[in-house]
Amino acid sequence: MKFTVCALGIAMLPLLVLAQVEASPQISALRAETSAKKRYQEALSLADDALTEARKAYLGGNLEEGKTQIDLMMSAVDECVKALAEADKSGYYKKAELKVSALLRRLNGAITDVTVNDRGYLAATRTELQGVHERLLKRVMKK
């Protein structure tokens, strides 16, 4: 599989999975925003909403919709990181780090709420999101 790497050196979801999500109107709308500050904030809001919808889908037994929403969440997080790199303001990184930390806590809760057989994709996403969080935290501590 081929991985993309964003500005902070974060390996993101495989390109094949992202192809469907990146074509989504939400991601297109994020990319259309010219202000990096607004873009990172909207990306984090979209990620939060996508995680909420993913959890509902998983609990309702709709695994494919849940995976699509998880992919949307990670695409939004990727867009957030790109916007942060563009803005290059340390205060933005701290706020983003806190929001990603909250996403991690919520994702952990979602993992415990679903059946053991359905946890694989969520657990892999958690590992990826932890990597993003760690890199954001390193950037916060650097400034």
Side-chain angles (χ1 to χ4, degrees):
M1 279 186 186
K2 198 173 189 184
F3 287 86
T4 58
V5 178
C6 68
L8 290 176
I10 301 168
M12 297 310 290
L13 291 173
L15 289 175
L16 296 174
V17 174
L18 284 178
Q20 295 173 343
V21 175
E22 290 194 1
S24 76
Q26 298 102 325
I27 297 298
S28 297
L30 275 178
R31 290 181 179 153
E33 177 58 57
T34 57
S35 167
K37 178 181 180 180
K38 287 182 183 177
R39 196 165 57 246
Y40 100 85
Q41 291 171 333
E42 289 175 9
L44 289 171
S45 177
L46 176 59
D48 189 59
D49 293 345
L51 181 55
T52 299
E53 293 303 314
R55 186 172 182 275
K56 287 179 189 175
Y58 270 101
L59 292 176
N62 190 348
L63 302 182
E64 287 307 311
E65 177 62 22
K67 287 180 180 180
T68 300
Q69 291 298 321
I70 289 295
D71 292 343
L72 178 61
M73 178 192 76
M74 289 307 297
S75 290
V77 169
D78 183 36
E79 290 301 318
C80 170
V81 170
K82 289 176 185 176
L84 289 170
E86 184 181 317
D88 198 30
K89 302 265 185 184
S90 61
Y92 297 172
Y93 279 95
K94 180 61 181 172
K95 290 175 185 174
E97 182 270 325
L98 291 171
K99 296 270 186 175
V100 171
S101 178
L103 282 174
L104 267 172
R105 284 191 302 275
R106 291 186 57 222
L107 184 58
N108 281 328
I111 290 170
T112 60
D113 289 344
V114 300
T115 65
V116 174
N117 295 334
D118 299 336
R119 291 182 183 174
Y121 197 74
L122 292 174
T125 302
R126 175 181 56 196
T127 301
E128 188 174 342
L129 193 58
Q130 283 172 331
V132 172
H133 179 257
E134 288 169 9
R135 287 175 180 83
L136 288 172
L137 190 55
K138 284 180 185 175
R139 180 64 193 247
V140 167
M141 301 305 279
K142 179 180 170 184
K143 295 279 177 175

